[in-house]
Amino acid sequence: MDTLAVPEPHIGTSFRAAMRRVASTVTIVTASDGGRRHGMTMTAVSSLSMDPPSMVICVNQSTFLHEILVSARHFCVNVLTHDQAEISTAFSGASSPEERFSVGAWLTHAAGMHYLSSAQANIVCRKTAAIPFGTHTIFIGSAADVMLGDDARPLLYRNAAYC
């Protein structure tokens, strides 16, 4: 039977420090399960495949967004521009879930979730898989719609700060 080896206690601290040194593009992932909507600032987002066009998002299982994603059929990855730190901050917990969508220009997609109309890109994904791992779930989505805004400098996050 394959099991995961338990890392040494210092590995977790060192790993966190190493990951803080990786600059990541800031996104807001949004979803709706019909009755509820939510969005959360995330950097644990990546393309997965070009054939089929698909993405991976990694969501902590303790979050409200995770609860919605479990039953939602779609999610949207909104790629932020360098001047959208205020929106990112609102969706990273500075604003309540009810107030978040009042910061920025949000529209409702035909698939049901909100998307940021001023983002440099919005990638609407149909959820195709959910794989639990550790404290998170890896959600895989196939691109169902892509909207492109201006090709601006992205908002980046590194070492607990926008850069």
Side-chain angles (χ1 to χ4, degrees):
M1 179 169 99
D2 289 327
T3 60
L4 295 175
V6 177
E8 296 293 323
H10 73 279
I11 294 296
T13 302
S14 298
F15 183 76
R16 180 181 304 271
M19 291 299 95
R20 288 176 62 127
R21 295 176 184 191
V22 176
S24 299
T25 300
V26 179
T27 68
I28 295 175
V29 175
T30 56
S32 174
D33 63 4
R36 304 174 298 171
R37 68 176 180 172
H38 193 59
M40 188 172 82
T41 301
M42 293 180 57
T43 56
V45 173
S46 181
S47 63
L48 175 62
S49 172
M50 291 304 294
D51 189 15
S54 52
M55 298 199 70
V56 171
I57 61 172
C58 302
V59 184
N60 191 303
Q61 295 167 2
S62 68
T63 65
F64 184 45
L65 181 62
H66 183 276
E67 182 180 325
I68 290 175
L69 281 166
V70 167
S71 57
R73 296 180 62 199
H74 294 85
F75 60 87
C76 183
V77 176
N78 300 275
V79 181
L80 301 186
T81 63
H82 69 280
D83 58 354
Q84 293 178 319
E86 178 185 5
I87 300 170
S88 173
T89 299
F91 279 78
S92 61
S95 297
S96 70
E98 299 80 27
E99 296 171 333
R100 293 176 184 193
F101 289 99
S102 66
V103 181
W106 294 91
L107 300 173
T108 305
H109 189 272
M113 88 294 300
H114 283 63
Y115 68 94
L116 183 62
S117 63
S118 59
Q120 69 172 305
N122 313 91
I123 306 162
V124 175
C125 295
R126 181 178 34 79
K127 184 180 73 178
T128 57
I131 305 161
F133 186 86
T135 57
H136 286 61
T137 298
I138 303 161
F139 291 96
I140 299 172
S142 296
D145 191 12
V146 177
M147 295 165 279
L148 298 174
D150 292 336
D151 187 12
R153 290 182 297 155
L155 180 61
L156 298 178
Y157 194 74
R158 182 188 176 276
N159 205 16
Y162 297 114
C163 55

